[in-house]
Amino acid sequence: MTRALAFLPGPLPESFGPSFARLRWTRAVDPERVALWEPLSDAREAVHGASSWVVVLEPSALPAGGTVPEPPAGSIARSEPSAPASPPFVHTLRELEGARVARAGADAPGRSAISFRTRDFPPAEGETVEAFLARLAASAAAQDDPRFPVIRFEDPSHRERPELTRRLPPGPLRILDVGCGAGAGIAAARARHPAWSVTGIERDPVLAGRARRLCDRVVEGDLAEVLPLLAASGQRFDAIVFADVLEHMEDPVSALRQGLAVAESGGMLLASVPNVGHLSIVRDLVAGRFDPVPAGLCDASHLRWFSRSWLEEALAEAGWRVESVEGEQGAPAPDADAFLALADAWPGADRESLRTYQWIAVCRAA
């Protein structure tokens, strides 16, 4: 049987993150062929040349098992949404590799991959890849396969970020959510704060479309281009939010300066960044590991890494007056006690940093 692996293209240009995910899938499937399927291409041409296919539908998903099994004859095997069973969360690839995985709850994201035999489910004449995959997903032959566990990494922009929204003042507030993603991080709190007006900036067209359902306005484009345009047009905001954005930027200090240019006099900056000094990262480094994952502390798209001191310096260098930098613990690292005991033996160990998942800064414009 000739086995093949297919991926669907993402909305943004090729980057390291999708390449890493494809590497993990290729190792798990061990295919003789790897293909990128365009949604509007001919499905018959796409499946030609392989008797069995694994199709990855969600780029932020990773196979949780060591291998992906062949689908049963006459059945479409759907990946089973899974999560680490104990402990309930992991932060790095090394921790994921050592975690026991169990079926996720009923509210888990949908199926992220399917597997089928070509002769059992051939495409129809003229059927596109998009239509073909939709038909397979709706087929009565599609069944969750417990041998096919997949973990899908969360995009936090699909839910409110209370650790951020509680730091914003109530009452009338013009908020600029820079890199808003799907928009829920800040705008989901408007049910409690109807006087807030939220403008988002997002370069991913799919996420920007979702954000428009929540935000008052969404400007689609790269923030390095959008922020100067907003400043030049005289638009000003009472609060600028950089929620887990700065670590994705080649020049975060420049972005912070551009944010200052659209801030009202005395305006607020709220910025959150993942902590490079978190126990999970430090422990992996001691073990000789530093592996990317699709999201979280070791997100494959991170370009810059922040400690508390470097965040404070970047903010000050950009011209913001730092009022506070506080740590949010987030989910605890698995099996942390042994490493914390080891750190206690070193006089320079910073236990607060080891337990901090992200740093959250509040600043003011002069």
Side-chain angles (χ1 to χ4, degrees), residues 33-272:
R33 175 184 166 197
V34 178
L36 183 65
W37 282 4
E38 293 291 340
L40 299 182
S41 62
D42 185 88
R44 283 192 172 184
E45 293 183 6
V47 302
H48 179 73
S51 54
S52 173
W53 283 93
V54 175
V55 184
V56 180
L57 308 173
E58 171 52 56
S60 70
L62 291 182
T67 60
V68 176
E70 288 283 358
S75 176
I76 301 164
R78 296 185 304 204
S79 62
E80 185 173 85
S82 303
S86 179
F89 198 81
V90 296
H91 297 290
T92 69
L93 184 63
R94 189 190 66 82
E95 291 173 355
L96 176 59
E97 290 170 349
R100 184 171 63 86
V101 174
R103 181 179 175 84
D107 59 345
R111 279 66 187 164
S112 302
I114 60 171
S115 179
F116 63 93
R117 301 188 187 201
T118 308
R119 68 180 180 184
D120 293 338
F121 302 96
E125 178 72 31
E127 192 172 30
T128 66
V129 163
E130 185 176 58
F132 174 57
L133 292 177
R135 179 165 62 84
L136 294 187
S139 170
Q143 302 291 329
D144 291 353
D145 189 339
R147 304 173 305 153
F148 193 2
V150 168
I151 291 180
R152 183 175 176 180
F153 285 72
E154 177 196 26
D155 177 355
S157 72
H158 289 271
R159 58 173 175 81
E160 183 184 342
R161 299 281 301 277
E163 73 276 16
L164 299 178
T165 55
R166 69 170 179 258
R167 288 177 163 90
L168 292 167
L173 199 66
R174 296 167 298 171
I175 303 172
L176 179 64
D177 189 358
V178 180
C180 67
I186 301 300
R190 288 199 307 159
R192 302 190 308 278
H193 301 283
W196 285 3
S197 172
V198 181
T199 296
I201 301 176
E202 178 53 49
R203 67 170 186 160
D204 183 327
V206 175
L207 292 176
R210 293 172 182 166
R212 289 189 179 95
R213 305 170 191 168
L214 298 170
C215 298
D216 296 277
R217 178 172 62 129
V218 175
V219 183
E220 190 174 320
D222 191 276
L223 66 89
E225 299 174 356
V226 172
L227 283 173
L229 291 175
L230 294 177
S233 65
Q235 298 184 57
R236 298 295 181 265
F237 299 89
D238 304 306
I240 317 295
V241 179
F242 283 84
D244 299 327
V245 170
L246 297 172
E247 64 272 15
H248 297 274
M249 306 203 64
E250 183 176 345
D251 188 350
V253 174
S254 176
L256 288 167
R257 285 198 190 103
Q258 292 172 339
L260 186 61
V262 296
E264 192 63 79
S265 178
M268 175 185 183
L269 172 74
L270 181 61
S272 65

Side-chain angles (χ1 to χ4, degrees), residues 312-334:
E312 291 174 340
E313 291 180 10
L315 293 165
E317 179 66 23
W320 289 94
R321 176 167 54 85
V322 180
E323 291 190 343
S324 67
V325 176
E326 298 176 315
E328 286 281 330
Q329 289 194 3

Side-chain angles (χ1 to χ4, degrees), residues 1-16:
M1 179 176 288
T2 305
R3 198 173 201 203
L5 172 65
F7 299 91
L8 299 179
L12 296 177
E14 181 61 23
S15 64
F16 174 60

Side-chain angles (χ1 to χ4, degrees), residues 15-18 20 59-60 91-93 153-156 244-245 247-248 274 281 290-305 357:
S15 64
F16 174 60
F20 160 77
S60 70
H91 297 290
T92 69
L93 184 63
F153 285 72
E154 177 196 26
D155 177 355
D244 299 327
V245 170
E247 64 272 15
H248 297 274
I281 295 179
F290 188 69
D291 308 293
V293 290
L297 281 175
C298 296
D299 189 319
S301 63
H302 287 178
L303 300 179
R304 298 290 179 258
W305 303 87
Y357 184 83

